[in-house]
Each structure stands twice: as structure tokens, then as C-alpha cells.
Amino acid sequence: MKTTHTLPFTLAACVLALAGCASTGSHVDTVDQAFGASAQKQSIRFPDAGSAWLKGGTFIDVEQLRRIGRGMTKNQVRELISYPHFGEGLFGPKEWDYLFNFRTGRGDEFVTCQYKVVFKDGVSDAMYWKDPACADYLKPKVVEAARPAPVVAAVPERIRLGADALFAFDKSGPADILPAGKRQLEDLVVNLKSKYKKLDAITIVGHTDRLGSASYNQSLSLARANTVRDMLAQAGIDRHVIRTSGSGETQPVAECAANLPRAALVSCLQPNRRVDLEVLGQ
């Protein structure tokens, strides 16, 4: 049910009279905002809250109330926080009293505070709260900025294919892929398509052992990486996300003695003959 309050006749007459008053344009010092302290409260008398003509007070615009300061005319005060809520007149009295309601932030709960503006020589001179704790409702709320989620660098999936299982010894072309190598590539394609919704980048690096010249091994390693790329593309992997390179013999993972018989040396160096893949995707 909505309750309508009517201003008493004398107050209504004062309101009409006040509407014709002009502002003096007095400077408002925003530093001197509403305050209250126990030492001040002892010498300040507040009217009984039940005697207010505006029963229950009003939900004040906190931003407007923060603008109240010393040196303001009554017109300027009225423009910000309206007429006083007690029947104390508008012109002669040197004190205006209010009942302001503030939300506590707990559902519909609110508190009611008594507020007083004291005038001297026609302008506001001091502002008081009956309960000094009410001044806290004017403090700007500090909202802790939401911290952005930490950026976690994507970790690529690393896949290693043995070159000896893919290709015939010392070979690199599609026709040189062994049956076991074809099965490896088929399984790789199935894994990529089932695991990733979207492939962002695939890096393929070919490697050789140290047998042969450095230039020959560089060419062989790159050729094997390119062949793996072509096989993946033929199986439906987007060629545009694939990059290839050859490292030749420069990144061995196994070290072998030079005086080993050749067959034993070839076997010992087998881990170095490989194709490494790094996969990034969603």
C-alpha cells in the first residue's frame, strides 16, 4: 500500500516562498562533507524521530548527500537533499533535520539515520549524524577489481616417430614408407582427428644420425619431414597448419662410440633417426 504524506499548511507556504529565492552561488567545499563525532554529538540536540512529518524518512541519493558541504545556501541544500523532515520551518531556523534510509546490502534490510545541517549567517556551517557510524554509508564502496584469469601458455603435444619404422634405410619418399610406417601415420591421423576439435599448428622436424655428410643428412631429414606432411594432408589434415624443417644430425638423442663395428654403430644410432611432431590445438 502506498502512503501519501501531505505537507502542513505552514510548511507548504514556506515551500512556495522558498521557490522564489535565488541562490547566492556560494562556494561549496567538497572536502567538508557530512561528518559526525562523539565530541560534537554531545553539544547537538536531535528531535525525536517520531515527530518528523515525513514518517519513515526517505531513501536518500547518496551521491547528492556527499555533495553537501559548508558555505551552501538553504536553496542549495534543498536542491540536493530536499526540505527538512521536521516541522522546524525553512527560513528562520538555523537547523534542518532529516531522516535518511540506507540499504545495508543484506536483501531489503535498511537502517534509518538522523542527519542535521546547521546554518550560520545564512549558509551551512556544520553537518552532524546522531549516530556517527551513519557517516560510513557515505563512504564510496571499494570494489575489488576482478583479477583476470592467468594466461596459461598452451603446451604442445609431442609425438615421436621412429624413422626406421617409417622409411626404408636411407630413404625419404612416399614410396619408401614401410607397411609399419603407413600404420603409424594412419593411427596418428585418427588420434589427431579424434582428440582435437581444431588444429592450430603442427610442426614436423626430421632428424638423422651422424653417418654421412652434414649436407646430405640435412637434406634427408627435411625430405622425410615433408613426406610425413604430405601423407597427413592426403589423409585430411589441413596442410596450412603444418610447418616442416630438417635438423639433420645436429640434435642427437643417443651418443655412440666411433670405434663400434658398422652394424653395431647403425643399431646404436637408431634413436637419432626420427621424425618429431609438436601439435597445438583445441
Side-chain angles (χ1 to χ4, degrees), residues 136-147:
D136 291 341
Y137 291 102
L138 269 67
K139 295 179 180 178
K141 294 182 179 179
V142 178
V143 179
E144 184 176 354
R147 297 181 180 179

Side-chain angles (χ1 to χ4, degrees), residues 9-49:
F9 175 80
T10 56
L11 178 59
C14 290
V15 169
L16 292 175
L18 182 60
C21 298
S23 170
T24 63
S26 300
H27 173 68
V28 178
D29 187 353
T30 56
V31 174
D32 294 317
Q33 296 177 345
F35 62 91
S38 57
Q40 297 161 334
K41 186 179 69 172
Q42 294 173 1
S43 59
I44 298 298
R45 297 183 61 183
F46 285 84
D48 179 69

